[in-house]
Amino acid sequence: GVPISGILFGGRRSTTVPLIYQCFNWNHGVFTGSTMSSETTAAAAGLRGVLRLDPFSMRPFCGYNMAQYFDHWLSFGKDNKQYDKLPKMFMVNWFRKVGGKILWPGFSENLRVIKWCFDRCDKSDNDEQGALTTPIGYIPDYKDPKAFDTSNLFGGQFKSLDEHGLEKIFNVDSREFLKDLTMYSEFYKSFNDTKKIPKTLQDELEKLKERLNMEINQMKPL
């Protein structure tokens, strides 16, 4: 078969989630996939703009208990001899908005994001080169053009995007992410009457909560 170097998950969020971030490791990646969320669109049934969980984008299609589905993903990380060969995992969000307007121009500019992912796939889990560490994972060091290519990005065709806009696209507000944790926890609890969510994912949820709270406690008061 063909080796897989990276896996990109994608959600549609107008707030909270940055343009791209890399998960810390395989288990954190599975946790991230299991808590994927998107805002509903006109193409989806129900109200538009409602946030809903869609783990691995498989909720309507998974033919068996999703706790078992998550455990299947986790099983790939249990082989210590092959662990270094596991794909890196990323979460992408092209749809972050300010004032109702999507910040990232998209289309061919998405290659800048893909290029950063390619570069990260060649590095070990703990390698921070070209990246900034946040409570949710690694984001590009977007102020370093050698780490994240911004050549010819500002001005010209995309006059509305500048350095300040790019900073908003990659902003990680721990207070906003902390609000999502209640939704994640309730979703995990919904499995208690059937097959419980793997403890590994419960632990990842607690670790994320700790990292977010630590970041919040270190923030300077306004």
Side-chain angles (χ1 to χ4, degrees):
V2 178
I4 299 174
S5 298
I7 297 173
L8 272 71
F9 301 126
R12 186 183 184 96
R13 298 289 302 270
S14 60
T15 62
T16 311
V17 181
L19 178 63
I20 182 75
Y21 68 91
Q22 179 190 351
C23 303
F24 289 122
N25 51 51
W26 182 259
N27 287 348
H28 180 227
V30 177
F31 165 77
T32 301
S34 76
T35 55
M36 283 174 56
S37 59
S38 287
E39 295 165 8
T40 55
T41 65
L47 297 175
R48 185 172 185 173
V50 176
L51 187 63
R52 66 177 184 180
L53 284 164
D54 186 11
F56 293 92
S57 298
M58 283 292 292
R59 196 167 189 175
F61 311 109
C62 190
Y64 60 104
N65 189 291
M66 290 209 79
Q68 292 176 282
Y69 181 78
F70 300 156
D71 199 41
H72 178 69
W73 276 81
L74 289 170
S75 68
F76 291 102
K78 294 178 181 178
D79 186 348
N80 292 329
K81 293 181 179 179
Q82 299 293 321
Y83 189 86
D84 291 340
K85 297 181 180 180
L86 288 172
K88 302 294 188 294
M89 291 194 185
F90 303 86
M91 173 63 75
V92 67
N93 175 34
W94 311 117
F95 303 100
R96 192 157 188 175
K97 297 180 180 179
V98 168
K101 185 175 182 179
I102 294 176
L103 292 168
W104 184 248
F107 299 102
S108 62
E109 304 303 328
N110 293 347
L111 290 175
R112 301 175 189 271
V113 176
I114 303 301
K115 180 179 182 297
W116 182 76
C117 292
F118 281 166
D119 292 341
R120 294 296 298 169
C121 285
D122 292 333
K123 296 176 174 58
S124 62
D125 283 343
N126 299 321
D127 193 333
E128 299 181 4
Q129 184 179 354
L132 303 172
T133 303
T134 76
I136 63 167
Y138 301 112
I139 65 169
D141 187 355
Y142 56 91
K143 293 183 179 180
D144 180 358
K146 294 181 179 179
F148 185 78
D149 186 1
T150 56
S151 58
N152 302 314
L153 178 61
F154 307 124
Q157 184 179 356
F158 308 113
K159 294 181 180 179
S160 60
L161 183 63
D162 55 16
E163 289 87 347
H164 184 58
L166 194 67
E167 188 171 344
K168 290 181 178 179
I169 289 174
F170 285 111
N171 181 55
V172 175
D173 188 332
S174 293
R175 295 164 297 189
E176 290 296 316
F177 269 94
L178 203 58
K179 295 176 183 178
D180 285 353
L181 297 198
T182 300
M183 178 174 61
Y184 301 163
S185 180
E186 290 300 317
F187 174 61
Y188 279 2
K189 287 178 182 177
S190 69
F191 290 83
N192 288 350
D193 293 335
T194 53
K195 183 176 177 59
K196 290 186 176 183
I197 291 291
K199 185 178 182 302
T200 299
L201 297 186
Q202 298 278 9
D203 292 343
E204 287 294 332
L205 179 59
E206 287 303 311
K207 290 177 185 177
L208 175 58
K209 185 177 181 179
E210 290 175 5
R211 293 194 300 268
L212 292 171
N213 280 319
M214 185 179 299
E215 178 81 4
I216 292 170
N217 291 336
Q218 291 174 351
M219 289 181 179
K220 296 180 179 179
L222 297 176

